[in-house]
Amino acid sequence: MRRDPGGGANLTALRGHNAALVLDLLRTAGEGGISRLELAARTGLTPQAVSKITARLRADGLAAEAGRRASTGGKPRTVLRLVPEAAHAIGVHLDRDEVTVALTDLTGTPLAVRRNAVTLSDGPPQVLETLVRAVRALLAEPAPPPVPRTAPPRPSVPPPATAPPRPPGPVGSPGAAGPVSASGPASESSPASAPDSADSSGPVGAPGPVGAPVGLRLLGVGVAMPGPLEHRGGVAGRVTGAAVWDGFPVREALEARLGVPVVLDKDTNAAALDLAVRPGAPRSFAYVHLGTGLGAGLVVGGLPLRGERTGAGELGHQTVQLDGPRCDCGARGCLEALCLAAVARGELPEAARILGAGAANLVRLLDIDRVLLGGRVVLAAPEVFADGVAAVLADRRLPTPVEVTATPHAVARGAAQLVLAPVFGLAPSAHPPVYSSEERTIR
């Protein structure tokens, strides 16, 4: 992913930018690590500047020695690595029928996940109460163990799905309990419909801290929900089927309740961000999500494309049939209405063909390198949708590859990246990361 342009307006900003450069190289180096000389060569900084930056990062627990590497001359070079357990973020996927909350480490790897049933159209007070309780309950669990240094690296590019995963949502047994083990993927802490028995904090706005596990440094909470919305202000828009959210200040309300920085974005943008920050990700792609709704997250030239009012990627409300059926948004012939109607009839090949028409329009408009498909409907029949969309592109002589990304908890992981990516200088944020050893606690 292309780095967000950094400035040298003042010394403090420049230091932060340089630290982010170094941190990102430590992140992409993985467990193998990288030497200070390599950091200097790849950043353009002087060896002295790199030594000062890495000393600060080590003092703050963000970097550590990973051994020594033979050199062509002189003594072996000390290799440094990122410490994934040094800081954490929470990613929240607020969907129309459930909320998924994931605790991740500094690399964005989920450590524990909770899912709870919600009805988005019930409105902010009731839904946010469930969300806050889920966050508090997740943090009240025992601290997850650190990922071992021998853990395999995350895949650089999402692989095509080879078998249909569980249709309703993230992969994993709904009855699984407890945080992730050190050697496996995150498990779900509770069923989607189970009450949060671990939380006894009372109403959403109740005072008094509900502590995170001892030693857990929480950078913030990222929230991803259906659009439209206003990313910079953290305000929800007129969500299809849940107009009661229109104009509600989600970020402000959650920051007041949780006491940590909160970032709000569309679900599709968040999922696309998680894909974009992976080493080897394509520079330009569209993540097309088909679940309870239909939308797209766009990455162009290595950077997320949100638009001036966070309106980019509203693929589902692209008109593809002028006299088509009425959509919940009020218009006629929307791609989402036609596609979901075909799904409801059980006509998945037809739904894939309709989705392919929308994907073809994106390819022609933006000249993207790849189309990545996701969402619970796609994951229920990945081959049907991958083949169907690819057939439409081929019929229109568009050679763009089509893949299904079967990443578990894709939107929740992306929501966590809304908080984490700015730490590595990969995305702008309204809340600059704070490099301190202080523990952040949910109120």
Side-chain angles (χ1 to χ4, degrees):
M1 180 179 179
R2 200 178 106 197
R3 180 171 306 280
D4 180 56
N10 55 62
L11 188 57
T12 301
L14 185 60
R15 284 175 177 167
H17 174 66
N18 292 342
L21 282 173
V22 172
L23 273 171
D24 191 43
L25 288 174
L26 292 172
R27 178 185 72 90
T28 55
E31 291 296 321
I34 187 171
S35 71
R36 292 178 180 85
L37 283 179
E38 290 172 301
L39 288 170
R42 295 182 63 179
T43 60
L45 299 171
T46 65
Q48 293 83 359
V50 168
S51 293
K52 290 180 180 179
I53 291 170
T54 55
R56 289 199 302 268
L57 296 177
R58 290 184 62 193
D60 205 31
L62 295 170
E65 289 190 3
R68 294 182 180 274
R69 183 180 298 165
S71 64
T72 54
K75 63 180 182 180
R77 298 173 182 173
T78 300
V79 177
L80 300 175
R81 67 176 181 90
L82 185 71
V83 180
E85 62 270 23
H88 298 78
I90 288 179
V92 177
H93 178 196
L94 180 56
D95 207 347
R96 289 176 174 84
D97 58 0
E98 71 177 9
V99 59
T100 302
V101 180
L103 173 68
T104 78
D105 65 16
L106 190 55
T107 67
T109 301
L111 304 176
V113 177
R114 292 184 74 91
R115 295 170 63 213
N116 291 81
V118 297
T119 301
L120 195 64
S121 59
D122 285 345
Q126 185 170 336
V127 172
L128 293 188
E129 180 168 348
T130 301
L131 187 160
V132 170
R133 286 180 181 274
V135 170
R136 287 173 168 166
L138 187 66
L139 291 177
E141 295 174 357
V147 177
R149 295 189 186 185
T150 56
R154 293 168 59 195
S156 58
V157 177
T162 56
R166 176 171 161 265
V171 174
S173 168
V180 64
S181 65
S183 59
S187 62
E188 295 174 50
S189 301
S190 66
S193 58
D196 289 328
S197 57
D199 177 54
S200 58
S201 57
V204 178
V210 177
V214 175
L216 186 143
R217 194 188 313 180
L218 186 63
L219 299 180
V221 176
V223 179
M225 66 179 293
L229 54 79
E230 208 283 291
H231 167 66
R232 294 186 184 91
V235 177
R238 190 176 179 85
V239 181
T240 303
V244 67
W245 286 81
D246 193 14
F248 184 81
V250 176
R251 187 180 73 195
E252 179 183 334
L254 287 177
E255 285 183 339
R257 290 162 169 82
L258 298 175
V260 294
V262 174
V263 184
L264 178 71
D265 207 344
K266 292 197 296 188
D267 45 11
T268 49
N269 288 347
L273 177 61
D274 180 61
L275 297 171
V277 298
R278 301 184 189 187
R283 283 180 52 81
S284 298
F285 66 88
Y287 168 76
V288 179
H289 185 97
L290 180 59
T292 60
L294 194 164
L298 307 174
V299 172
V300 178
L303 289 174
L305 177 62
R306 292 185 175 94
E308 285 300 312
R309 291 163 293 279
T310 328
E314 287 294 327
L315 178 66
H317 300 290
Q318 176 185 115
T319 300
V320 292
Q321 185 178 339
L322 292 178
D323 58 348
R326 180 77 66 181
C327 177
D328 288 342
C329 74
R332 286 190 176 275
C334 289
L335 188 72
E336 177 178 293
L338 294 170
C339 196
L340 290 180
V343 171
R345 295 192 302 269
E347 299 174 3
L348 297 187
E350 174 65 8
R353 187 182 71 85
I354 295 169
L355 191 63
N361 289 344
L362 284 178
V363 172
R364 283 176 167 161
L365 183 65
L366 299 174
D367 193 25
I368 52 180
D369 300 328
R370 198 170 306 179
V371 174
L372 302 176
L373 306 177
R376 67 176 72 171
V377 175
V378 170
L379 297 184
E383 293 183 359
V384 172
F385 281 94
D387 293 346
V389 172
V392 174
L393 296 185
D395 185 59
R396 302 183 185 188
R397 298 184 179 180
L398 298 172
T400 307
V402 178
E403 298 175 8
V404 172
T405 172
T407 303
H409 320 297
V411 176
R413 289 172 62 135
Q417 286 292 351
L418 295 172
V419 174
L420 296 172
V423 173
F424 304 100
L426 297 176
S429 173
H431 301 284
V434 178
Y435 301 105
S436 79
S437 57
E438 293 182 4
E439 208 174 297
R440 300 305 294 269
T441 307
I442 295 292
R443 284 205 294 265

